Amino acid sequence: MKKNDLEHIDIELTKQCNLECIHCSARGGQKTLNHELFLNEIEKILGEAKSLGLRTIGLTGGEPFLCKRKLMKIIDFCNDELKIPIHIHTNGILVSNEDAKKISDSVNEITVALYGLNAETHDSVTRVPGSMQSTMKGLERLLHAGANVSVYIVPMKVNIHEIIPLIENVSERGIKRIRILSISPTGRAIAKFDEMTLSNDELAWLNRELENVQSEIATELLAGFCTGQFYPQLKTLPGHTSCLAAENRLHINAYGIVFPCTASSGMEIFASGNLRNKDYPLSQLWHQSPLLQVIRRFHSNPPDKCQKCCIQRSCMSGCRVFMFYKYGSITIADPRCRGPVHSSKT
């Protein structure tokens, strides 16, 4: 990989959503007068990204199946013109049998989010009665069509005691990968972030339970960089051993505003430019955006207390989004850290 190749983009096809999840970083479901990115604008962005090294594309929202015509056109464009693999993030509710067949033939992976074993718990997170039943129907359609399906699970106080039985249930359905996600203090989650997140004792308990259940099921339990800091027992998602925000990826919201990563997409301070500004194309933004450069400099030149620490590359001095939420600074090392950790190897 070349230095700062843009290898991955997550792009929101819409902000509209048929759910109103309490933790949604994108604030999906919101009504707005702003015009969302048109099909030709998305194709232009992705085409330019290919020249910057693009290797994978994530299509997200909101709920991407609410703009199904746009979604299917982009899938065809990525396959036929760009020849770049795609994955889709969805709640599964609007996936028809026909959609599932197309997905199985043309999409590298599709992920469906589940928030509880019981409908009452799941629906309390989505704030839409009956949503779990509809999501499970969509999930079964995808599985029946032979699509490459994975599941996202987000532990929080409301569902902590259903996480393990939910994992077991999903595994029995034939799902091969489950990604555990931690809540990001952005978007709709900001208002009740501290109320929703697990305490240290709850985290410790869940980590023990996750370690036990992983030894009993064939399904892989995976974590990305940020989540891995809370759940060190989980297998690390390939390529996510350190923070990749602004290093080889971007998140582009439905209005063309660019963020370093999906976790940051609900915080205005992380906005790195708008691709609808025709004088500021993606290539220029990727290489010259002041905010992206600040993050890269922080990653390559961490604070003094972190430079000699043997785990710096795995903790990255803390998640930048969480550090800003907690301490009001993008460039602060996690104050909770007691200082450098030295390797015991001789």
Side-chain angles (χ1 to χ4, degrees), residues 118-188:
N118 299 311
E120 181 180 359
T121 302
H122 179 94
D123 295 356
S124 72
V125 173
T126 66
R127 300 197 291 190
V128 175
S131 58
M132 182 175 183
Q133 182 179 10
S134 298
T135 289
M136 294 307 297
K137 287 181 179 178
L139 181 64
E140 289 301 327
R141 290 187 188 110
L142 289 163
L143 287 170
H144 182 73
N148 183 21
V149 189
S150 60
V151 164
Y152 280 3
I153 295 177
V154 186
M156 50 188 105
K157 284 188 181 294
V158 70
N159 66 7
I160 180 174
H161 293 295
E162 295 183 24
I163 298 298
I164 301 305
L166 176 59
I167 288 171
E168 293 170 333
N169 180 281
V170 167
S171 179
E172 290 170 1
R173 292 175 183 271
I175 300 294
K176 301 303 181 185
R177 288 171 307 283
I178 297 173
R179 184 172 173 182
I180 306 298
L181 293 177
S182 53
I183 305 173
S184 179
T186 57
R188 196 177 288 130

Side-chain angles (χ1 to χ4, degrees), residues 220-225 228 231-242:
E220 279 191 309
L221 302 182
L222 301 166
F225 166 71
Y231 302 97
Q233 307 292 352
L234 298 180
K235 183 178 179 180
T236 302
L237 197 67
H240 286 248
T241 54
S242 63

Side-chain angles (χ1 to χ4, degrees), residues 31 53 57 74 144 189 207 219 229 248 261 279 294 308 310 317:
K31 298 294 187 292
I57 298 167
I74 293 171
H144 182 73
N207 268 301
T219 303
Q229 298 193 31
N248 72 353
C261 63
D279 296 324
V294 165
K308 294 183 179 180
C310 71
S317 307

Side-chain angles (χ1 to χ4, degrees), residues 29 61 71 84 113 122 168 176 197 250 263 331:
L71 171 63
I84 294 177
H122 179 94
E168 293 170 333
K176 301 303 181 185
T197 52
L250 291 175
T331 57

